[in-house]
Amino acid sequence: MIKPSQLLLANAGLALTLVGAAYGRATEHRPPKERDFLRQTATDFRKWSYVDVPLTANEESQLKPDATLVRRFRSPKGPIVELAVISGHKKRTVHTPAFCMAGGGWETLAQRDHVVLVKGRQIPAVQAVLMKDGRRQVMTYFFTDGEFNTRSLPEYQWDQLRKRVRGKSTLGALVRIIVPFQVDEQQQAAAQLGAAFAEATLPEVLEKLRSVRVAS
């Protein structure tokens, strides 16, 4: 027989769950106060030129981001680096880039756990080598809200869920860096270029994500 005290605890737990779920739904449907906040983010790198690349209409429809930054840098001597930051408060916005790349015809040749250094902070990331039609690239990515960083999408989603239950902002982002290269001998140099690029540009990106999330 169930004791009255046990029934009371069960009802209390159910009530807390329902309240948490309500907070979670309210938080997920609360966009950040500052819209399209990544557009003016400073990302200078070695005085390279760059162009901003908009998402396609299909990408906008699928991801519904609050802010994006897709910026392609070019060295006067030829090398290219692409930075992509896809940010939003909805669960559908932040995604694993490997899935999208595979859909675009890119084959993953190798993948490993990686660490990105940003102002002395060790940020866990994934680094992969991809190939398509003879072209190759080193892709490095991680998930972040400006303070919490992880290479694991499930871990990121779990952290976001806990924030939703506590009524906190769940604004976060996928951060991705791509460095193309031509032959195997250039792969290490491409990875080193990506590391230098991350250290130079990501402090501003992470701080912007953090500040907008805290203010929302």
Side-chain angles (χ1 to χ4, degrees):
M1 179 180 294
I2 299 177
K3 297 181 180 179
S5 59
Q6 292 175 322
L7 184 61
L8 180 62
L9 286 174
N11 288 335
L14 177 60
L16 287 173
T17 300
L18 292 174
V19 170
Y23 268 119
R25 287 193 296 271
T27 303
E28 186 180 1
H29 293 290
R30 189 178 68 219
K33 295 178 181 178
E34 185 179 349
R35 302 289 291 180
D36 202 20
F37 55 85
L38 290 169
R39 184 178 298 276
Q40 302 303 322
T41 305
T43 55
D44 294 335
F45 181 64
R46 298 179 180 176
K47 298 184 179 179
W48 288 16
S49 63
Y50 65 80
V51 294
D52 287 335
V53 182
L55 297 184
T56 66
N58 185 51
E59 290 169 334
E60 287 279 359
S61 176
Q62 288 186 343
L63 300 176
K64 296 191 180 301
D66 294 309
T68 62
L69 179 67
V70 182
R71 188 163 285 175
R72 193 167 296 151
F73 292 75
R74 183 181 294 274
S75 163
K77 297 182 180 180
I80 295 173
V81 181
E82 182 180 278
L83 169 67
V85 185
I86 312 299
S87 177
H89 67 289
K90 295 181 178 292
K91 289 184 287 186
R92 66 190 294 180
T93 303
V94 179
H95 60 290
T96 301
F99 178 78
C100 296
M101 301 300 285
W106 289 91
E107 177 188 358
T108 301
L109 301 180
Q111 181 170 299
R112 67 185 182 95
D113 290 346
H114 183 61
V115 172
V116 175
L117 294 178
V118 179
K119 282 193 171 181
R121 295 171 61 187
Q122 293 189 339
I123 294 180
V126 173
Q127 189 169 87
V129 178
L130 308 176
M131 182 174 70
K132 176 184 178 181
D133 299 332
R135 294 173 290 154
R136 302 188 184 194
Q137 59 186 23
V138 175
M139 177 177 69
T140 304
Y141 69 87
F142 61 95
F143 310 98
T144 181
D145 64 5
E147 291 180 314
F148 175 76
N149 306 289
T150 178
R151 65 173 62 95
S152 165
L153 183 58
E155 187 175 39
Y156 168 83
Q157 292 172 333
W158 173 242
D159 181 75
Q160 297 290 285
L161 176 61
R162 290 188 297 178
K163 287 184 172 68
R164 288 190 181 95
V165 170
R166 293 156 61 189
K168 293 188 175 183
S169 170
T170 56
L171 179 69
L174 160 70
V175 176
R176 185 195 71 193
I177 294 172
I178 286 178
V179 184
F181 67 97
Q182 298 298 322
V183 295
D184 290 344
E185 290 75 13
Q186 296 174 337
Q187 180 177 326
Q188 184 175 357
Q192 291 172 344
L193 176 58
F197 180 87
E199 192 165 10
T201 62
L202 293 189
E204 292 287 343
V205 171
L206 295 180
E207 175 54 28
K208 189 63 178 178
L209 287 168
R210 187 201 67 80
S211 63
V212 173
R213 179 178 57 81
V214 171
S216 297

